[in-house]
Amino acid sequence: MDAREMMGAAVEAFTDALKKASRAADNTVTNYRRDLLAFRSFLLDRAAVLGKRVDEIDVTSITADHIRSYLAELMKNKAARATVQRRLSAIKAFFRYRETTIGAASPARTIRSPKNERRLPSILQEDEVRRLLEFSSTPDDSTTPAALRDRAIFETLYSSGLRVGELVGLNWRDIDEELGMVMIRAGKGNKDRLVPLGEPALDALKKWKTAMPIAWEHDGPVITNLRGGRLTTRSVEMLLQRRIEAAGLTAGLTPHGLRHSFATHMLGNGADLRSIQEMLGHASLATTQRYTHVSVNHLKEVYRRAFPRV
């Protein structure tokens, strides 16, 4: 067989080409190479099971059925759908590269990726949010700088629906206390947006601002550790997890879960989807609509009250 058609060499040629493409991240190249070599290993094992002694795979012999068998094997072994999708993306990219460089037809062209699992977002009920925000182990504990900062973190996340990365990226100049608004600068999709802040969140931020161990600066970070350094997203996740456990609430809630809670409660109390889309910074209304299924009873009630032929 022609060495140029051997899969190992073809994968290396493909990943080398990816490395030279300025738009390809190092992680993308590494992941594609690993996923393609995993597919190659499957084909070698399959050949062995069929009684064929091979130490390499001829790329031109790979068919759509081989790819489907591989995906079926992954799903049989309980691989996550995201993993299956990623492996198929690597295979499609590999054969697309061969198609454009040497004109070889792609056996992956007609294979569709499995659909994403639609999971209910993990959220808190409104009374649970109140318990989370107002929890303190002792009365004195609620007035320490750390406690005031944590209250500011959770009030702001819930009040504005910010992504945790947007929260930790805030500087004091981004908050307009008089207007009750926060400017999210270059959020996801590189778009700035203005988001309202509720009075409890503004009050919590003012108390934290006064209590900061290292004096605040106009261009300095809002959320810091007690040494004045900007807090990381991981630190916020850990703070929330500790608060959740201490308050005896739903395990597994993440800072993003407070964003889900914000959107769901806004919708449940009559906010329209377009407004929620604007506040969350979603490029597409379809992304925002994922929250409607958790408020279906509210929507049905609104329909029942408003539609004249019910």
Side-chain angles (χ1 to χ4, degrees):
M1 289 187 289
D2 189 338
R4 288 176 298 175
E5 298 300 310
M6 294 300 95
M7 188 167 181
V11 167
E12 296 304 328
F14 167 61
T15 53
D16 284 345
L18 268 184
K19 285 178 190 174
K20 292 173 185 174
S22 59
R23 66 180 182 276
D26 289 343
N27 278 349
T28 301
V29 176
T30 301
N31 291 340
Y32 273 17
R33 184 177 184 277
R34 184 190 61 231
D35 290 343
L36 288 166
L37 292 179
F39 178 43
R40 172 179 170 270
S41 294
F42 166 80
L43 294 173
L44 288 170
D45 291 344
R46 191 172 185 272
V49 168
L50 296 174
K52 298 176 182 176
R53 298 175 63 88
V54 296
D55 56 8
E56 189 48 285
I57 298 297
D58 179 358
V59 182
T60 61
S61 70
I62 298 173
T63 67
D65 283 342
H66 290 134
I67 300 169
R68 290 192 186 94
S69 295
Y70 176 56
L71 300 179
E73 183 73 12
L74 289 174
M75 289 187 279
K76 177 183 171 185
N77 291 329
K78 309 295 184 186
R81 293 200 185 191
T83 300
V84 178
Q85 288 174 327
R86 195 193 69 234
R87 297 275 177 97
L88 178 57
S89 291
I91 292 168
K92 280 178 172 284
F94 170 66
F95 283 109
R96 191 162 54 244
Y97 163 76
R98 287 175 53 79
E99 201 167 31
T100 56
T101 54
I102 63 173
S106 170
R109 180 181 287 278
T110 60
I111 298 177
R112 293 187 178 181
S113 188
K115 291 183 179 179
N116 280 324
E117 293 172 290
R118 296 184 64 84
R119 297 180 182 176
L120 289 172
S122 177
I123 66 166
L124 294 176
Q125 300 303 314
E126 291 183 49
D127 62 321
E128 291 178 316
V129 171
R130 196 171 299 109
R131 280 171 56 197
L132 173 76
L133 298 178
E134 297 175 358
F135 176 82
S136 64
S137 52
T138 66
D140 292 338
D141 183 53
S142 64
T143 58
T144 65
L148 292 172
R149 178 204 59 196
D150 294 353
R151 178 73 179 261
I153 287 173
F154 304 137
E155 287 278 12
T156 304
L157 282 174
Y158 176 65
S159 171
S160 58
L162 298 190
R163 300 175 178 93
V164 66
E166 294 170 342
L167 172 77
V168 299
L170 286 179
N171 291 326
W172 285 109
R173 64 186 169 90
D174 300 322
I175 298 172
D176 190 319
E177 294 179 8
E178 190 173 327
L179 288 178
M181 303 288 282
V182 58
M183 171 66 79
I184 310 304
R185 300 182 187 276
K188 194 170 181 181
N190 290 321
K191 293 180 180 178
D192 294 352
R193 72 183 191 279
L194 270 174
V195 181
L197 274 174
E199 285 297 328
L202 282 168
D203 184 56
L205 285 165
K206 288 176 187 175
K207 287 178 179 175
W208 159 237
K209 192 178 190 180
T210 303
M212 290 178 76
I214 307 298
W216 70 277
E217 296 179 1
H218 182 66
D219 289 323
V222 173
I223 305 301
T224 70
N225 57 36
L226 299 183
R227 298 181 301 280
R230 193 182 296 274
L231 216 58
T232 65
T233 56
R234 178 60 184 149
S235 296
V236 173
E237 288 168 0
M238 291 171 67
L239 288 172
L240 178 61
Q241 189 55 47
R242 285 201 289 268
R243 177 70 71 96
I244 286 281
E245 291 172 0
L249 296 168
T250 308
L253 185 83
T254 65
H256 210 71
L258 285 180
R259 180 171 158 87
H260 288 312
S261 301
F262 161 80
T264 303
H265 298 165
M266 287 285 289
L267 182 66
N269 284 290
D272 64 277
L273 275 173
R274 285 287 180 191
S275 298
I276 297 172
Q277 176 192 3
E278 188 71 23
M279 286 184 276
L280 293 177
H282 287 157
S284 167
L285 187 62
T287 308
T288 314
Q289 284 174 323
R290 64 197 290 204
Y291 298 109
T292 60
H293 65 283
V294 293
S295 297
V296 65
N297 289 336
H298 167 76
L299 293 174
K300 287 170 73 173
E301 176 60 21
V302 169
Y303 181 86
R304 187 190 66 76
R305 291 199 309 265
F307 191 62
R309 290 182 60 80
V310 172

